Amino acid sequence: MIAKLKGRLDSTGIDHAIIDVGGVGYLVGASSRTLAALGPVGEAVTIHTEMLVSDDAIRLVGFARAEERDWYRLLTHVQGVGSRVALAILSALEPYDLHRAIATGDKAMVARANGVGPKLAQRIVNELKDKIGAVAVGGPVGVGGIVPLPTGSHSADALSALQNLGFKPNEASSAVAAAEEELGEGASLDALVRLALRKAAK
């Protein structure tokens, strides 16, 4: 399973990017929002990925943030929502806006995405409403009440480290967010993981 690519942005297209990792070019499908977040061609880039395996192909779908990948996984578990539709939804809506739309039953907002009609939007709202938790008053939350981590820094790596140690995603996310707030954005990965572990273990 390929969960993340770290390399150089070789090129981008309407719905994909090519990431050069050690001389190997990986074609990664992506939403317009993710493509815009990757930055200029030739620059270093890290992208979270989901690997799709079928009888005749292996494909990668990429995301600028792990939070978007979580949403992609949720969306593609809804009947009638394939990879293309899920990416269209993530192109049209920020994760927080999507969370709010589902939590409040706003199918019209979900239907803004290309390829999503009223019936499919209603099904998405119905099937995901109980899985995502309520919208936090005063700010965005991630899938299932997970606190979104700041982009950049070592947040994603620290989160992955805690989850690999057996902590649940929401526990790990909350602990890393609290540790980063205490240490500041310039904290090393080692310091961030150590403090997050102490907070998660409380």
Side-chain angles (χ1 to χ4, degrees), residues 7 22 25 34 37 43 46 52 64 68 74 87 91 112 126 147 160 178 183:
T34 288
E43 293 295 316
T46 298
L52 309 179
E68 289 179 295
L74 274 180
L87 290 177
S91 292
R112 290 180 186 177
N126 290 345
V147 178
S160 177
L183 294 172

Side-chain angles (χ1 to χ4, degrees), residues 32-84:
S32 60
R33 202 174 294 277
T34 288
L35 291 172
L38 291 180
V41 169
E43 293 295 316
V45 65
T46 298
I47 189 165
H48 301 274
T49 58
E50 182 79 351
M51 189 164 72
L52 309 179
V53 181
S54 62
D55 290 339
D56 57 353
I58 297 175
R59 295 186 296 131
L60 288 175
V61 182
F63 311 90
R65 292 178 289 169
E67 180 188 8
E68 289 179 295
R69 182 178 60 191
D70 292 342
W71 272 108
Y72 174 86
R73 289 171 176 171
L74 274 180
L75 288 166
T76 52
H77 277 89
V78 176
Q79 183 183 357
V81 179
S83 179
R84 187 180 298 275

